[in-house]
Amino acid sequence: MKRSVPDLLQAADPLVMVTAYDYPGARHAEAAGVDLILVGDSLGNVVLGYDSTAPVTLADMIHHGRAVRRGAPGTFVVVDLPFGTYQTGAADAMRSAVQVIQQTGADAVKLEGATPEILEAVTVLTRNGIPVMGHVGLMPQTATAQGGLKVQGRDEEGARRTLDGALALQEAGAFSVVLEAIPARLARLITERLVVPTIGIGAGVHCRGQVLVYHDLLGLYEGDEKKLAKRYAELGRTSREALSAYAREVRAREFPGKEHSFVMKDEVLGKLY
């Protein structure tokens, strides 16, 4: 049975969240029994081929969110609001979130940051019945302003900003806060201070849940391994080997074989000559 926000708040065991961007990925995630699926704007990198999440549009998120909901009707689904759809004010955030919820059937939306404008947006959304997941630490949508894709919160100023941001998001009504790429000890402190669950990615084992990108954990998004991710499979290599074998057999006329071909009666064929 799909979890509700109260279920997530009261969960005793660590919460398991994974990203998904399409129907088959969502089906696999639901069959594996994850607690939450995040339709992340990371789809810009791992699905659409962009070098950042900035070009991802609301239409992109809705398109992929619909597919994920169809694939995982029994799992709590969170959809990222992409860059530029909520930073411009609570009214824009509300408009964007309503479109996502209405058109995808998602259970919640996620926003990055804890500026006064974003906190106001979280307050407005949650007061109007839209569950919001917050996000502090490394924030990919505005990573350039943070000095790139780097660990955050290592010095006192950064750590204080991350802690205060998480607390402010909780106060504004967020039901959970993602902690990305921050020291494990800081993540533990934040988790201890918050009542709502923290979901870590590169934030150590003491968060109340963990999230990984589907393509990272399955080895589909190849290249340098990320410190914050663990590869549980090498499906990219397996896929490439399978495609190479297919191409080789086609060129050698080994595929399709008799077992992959259909037959007809001789007398029917004879009438065609």
Side-chain angles (χ1 to χ4, degrees), residues 252-267:
R253 296 191 180 276
E254 295 174 2
F255 176 84
K258 290 183 178 180
E259 67 273 28
H260 304 110
S261 301
F262 301 96
V263 298
M264 64 188 301
K265 294 180 180 179
D266 290 342
E267 57 267 29

Side-chain angles (χ1 to χ4, degrees), residues 190-270:
I190 294 172
T191 300
E192 291 170 350
R193 293 279 186 91
L194 294 186
V195 175
V196 301
T198 55
I199 306 293
I201 176 167
V205 73
H206 296 290
C207 297
R208 286 179 57 191
Q210 299 291 332
V211 61
L212 280 180
V213 171
Y214 185 92
H215 291 61
D216 287 340
L217 77 90
L218 293 178
L220 286 165
Y221 189 64
E222 299 180 277
D224 294 336
E225 291 193 32
K226 302 173 183 177
K227 184 175 177 64
L228 55 72
K230 177 179 178 179
R231 288 188 183 177
Y232 288 83
E234 292 292 346
L235 298 191
R237 181 175 61 201
T238 301
S239 174
R240 193 168 56 251
E241 290 171 351
L243 290 166
S244 294
Y246 163 67
R248 184 169 58 252
E249 289 189 6
V250 168
R251 289 169 180 142
R253 296 191 180 276
E254 295 174 2
F255 176 84
K258 290 183 178 180
E259 67 273 28
H260 304 110
S261 301
F262 301 96
V263 298
M264 64 188 301
K265 294 180 180 179
D266 290 342
E267 57 267 29
V268 174
L269 180 62

Side-chain angles (χ1 to χ4, degrees), residues 47-97:
V47 176
L48 301 179
Y50 299 135
D51 59 5
S52 75
T53 63
V56 176
T57 66
L58 192 64
D60 291 330
M61 299 308 304
I62 290 171
H63 174 79
H64 289 271
R66 284 172 173 165
V68 168
R69 174 47 83 205
R70 289 192 293 269
T75 303
F76 194 98
V77 172
V78 183
V79 175
D80 268 337
L81 294 186
F83 180 71
T85 63
Y86 61 92
Q87 293 94 340
T88 50
D92 286 342
M94 188 70 191
R95 192 175 302 110
S96 300

Side-chain angles (χ1 to χ4, degrees), residues 18-34 36-39 64-77 214-215 218:
V18 66
T19 67
Y21 313 101
D22 56 23
Y23 177 80
R27 288 195 66 187
H28 294 162
E30 181 160 290
V34 305
L36 307 96
I37 292 174
L38 172 64
V39 186
H64 289 271
R66 284 172 173 165
V68 168
R69 174 47 83 205
R70 289 192 293 269
T75 303
F76 194 98
V77 172
Y214 185 92
H215 291 61
L218 293 178

